[in-house]
Amino acid sequence: MEMSSSASAAPSVLLNTGARMPLLGLGMYKLCEAVLQAVDASLAAGYRAFDSAAVYGNEAELGRSLKELLPKYGLTREDVFITSKLAPKDQGERAMDGALESLSRLGMDYIDLYLIHWPGTRGLDVTDQRNPGNRAQSWAALEELHAQGKLKAIGVSNYTPAHMRELMATCKVRPAVLQVEFHPLECQAELRRVCQEFGVCFQAYSSLGMGELLADPMVVQVAETCQRTPSQVLLRWAVQQDVPVLPKSSNPERIKENARIFDFALSDGDMGRLSALDQGHKYCWDPSPVV
């Protein structure tokens, strides 16, 4: 993955589509009430990527906020990178409609990156043998919309190594991105190897471990050493490995703080000490039972 950090562009990674995706984006999970304020603060702080999803219930508000705020910052639609995700209830035969509904709610002609949010299907047991067929049907729909230019890049979220290999064996269009939980307690070594093998960008969510890692003694110690905040250390740990991050906040000061991760570096020793915390611990969802 090539890096770009020119003055005219936010630091980014090169996707297998040839497009660039910013290393820093605003995660919008559970962000429903203060979307306009959060988007405003993010654009002011230099964020150029926004990560929504059908199940977040804020696609429409994100679209309206950008329409209102982009001119304020001298920006156009092409200057921002928008991600959304297919709801598990639309997995399978409703995938085409689900994706088009996301586009409609956002009020946009295209989405930069659209992900299958979850390997399972709402209403089906995780062991239900219809899950693989539904995933394949969803992917075919996303491939079709990608060919039409409505989804510039397509990818997946919460896939395991087995789900990834299954997809790679049958897809016509390779996923551009895999978005999963990633932080020092869940380093995802096997998934990162799979992504490297297939040329897929590995992207992090829950970099702060639902906030719990901010008080981890090692994280605090490293933060004190380099005179940064624990959140900046955790985000820097990821981007220093070329892993894009999506910190979520509606607090303008916190949004600004989370953006200040490109003007310092962690030492090899600090990177190693943080990575040594790995114990395969998930704060969010575990997709491994999904067949």
Side-chain angles (χ1 to χ4, degrees):
M1 247 174 279
E2 293 178 21
M3 296 281 296
S4 166
S5 54
S6 67
S8 62
S12 62
V13 291
L14 184 67
L15 301 181
N16 60 25
T17 59
R20 289 199 166 274
M21 180 172 76
L23 269 169
L24 172 69
L26 180 71
M28 299 189 65
Y29 175 59
K30 289 191 174 175
L31 188 61
C32 290
E33 307 222 329
V35 174
L36 184 71
Q37 173 186 294
V39 172
D40 197 2
S42 299
L43 290 170
Y47 289 68
R48 294 296 179 263
F50 298 87
D51 182 86
S52 185
V55 297
Y56 296 174
N58 53 26
E59 290 169 312
E61 193 58 36
L62 172 61
R64 284 193 295 269
S65 298
L66 288 169
K67 195 170 184 180
E68 179 178 333
L69 292 167
L70 288 176
K72 173 180 172 181
Y73 294 96
L75 299 170
T76 66
R77 167 66 183 91
E78 289 67 38
D79 294 317
V80 290
F81 190 100
I82 307 303
T83 299
S84 197
K85 310 179 196 78
L86 182 74
K89 72 178 178 62
D90 294 329
Q91 184 89 287
E93 62 185 23
R94 277 210 84 257
M96 177 77 73
D97 289 341
L100 290 173
E101 285 161 12
S102 283
L103 262 171
S104 176
R105 284 189 293 266
L106 283 160
M108 295 175 178
D109 296 327
Y110 68 91
I111 299 173
D112 296 277
L113 174 65
Y114 201 71
L115 308 176
I116 294 177
H117 203 155
W118 180 253
T121 310
R122 185 171 151 190
L124 292 188
D125 191 81
V126 291
T127 60
D128 196 298
Q129 295 302 318
R130 287 172 287 180
N131 282 315
N134 285 348
R135 281 195 295 276
Q137 198 170 0
S138 293
W139 191 254
L142 267 54
E143 287 178 327
E144 192 174 326
L145 291 170
H146 172 66
Q148 293 173 17
K150 290 176 179 170
L151 309 177
K152 298 294 185 185
I154 53 178
V156 293
S157 183
N158 296 303
Y159 271 36
T160 65
H163 297 141
M164 288 297 289
R165 292 193 180 99
E166 169 196 83
L167 176 59
M168 296 308 302
T170 57
C171 64
K172 294 175 189 164
V173 177
R174 277 186 303 161
V177 171
L178 167 66
Q179 187 188 112
V180 293
E181 181 174 348
F182 177 71
H183 45 69
L185 266 66
E186 176 57 289
C187 290
Q188 301 276 22
E190 187 185 358
L191 263 179
R192 292 191 70 197
R193 281 195 298 271
V194 170
C195 285
Q196 195 167 14
E197 178 186 346
F198 294 123
V200 176
C201 174
F202 178 95
Q203 183 180 38
Y205 73 70
S206 198
S207 295
L208 312 183
M210 307 289 278
E212 291 192 34
L213 285 173
L214 298 176
D216 181 273
M218 180 57 70
V219 174
V220 172
Q221 185 183 326
V222 171
E224 287 171 353
T225 302
C226 57
Q227 297 184 301
R228 291 289 177 148
T229 66
S231 64
Q232 288 170 336
V233 164
L234 288 162
L235 295 168
R236 180 67 206 181
W237 174 82
V239 299
Q240 199 160 309
Q241 300 178 69
D242 297 346
V243 175
V245 293
L246 299 163
K248 59 185 173 71
S249 180
S250 58
N251 180 309
E253 285 308 309
R254 190 67 48 77
I255 286 169
K256 195 172 173 181
E257 173 193 328
N258 289 342
R260 291 186 57 233
I261 55 175
F262 299 110
D263 58 349
F264 77 105
L266 296 172
S267 69
D268 290 346
D270 286 340
M271 289 292 289
R273 278 186 280 276
L274 292 169
S275 296
L277 297 173
D278 185 27
Q279 50 186 261
H281 180 78
K282 287 183 171 61
Y283 291 95
C284 301
W285 305 272
D286 182 6
S288 59
V290 183
V291 298

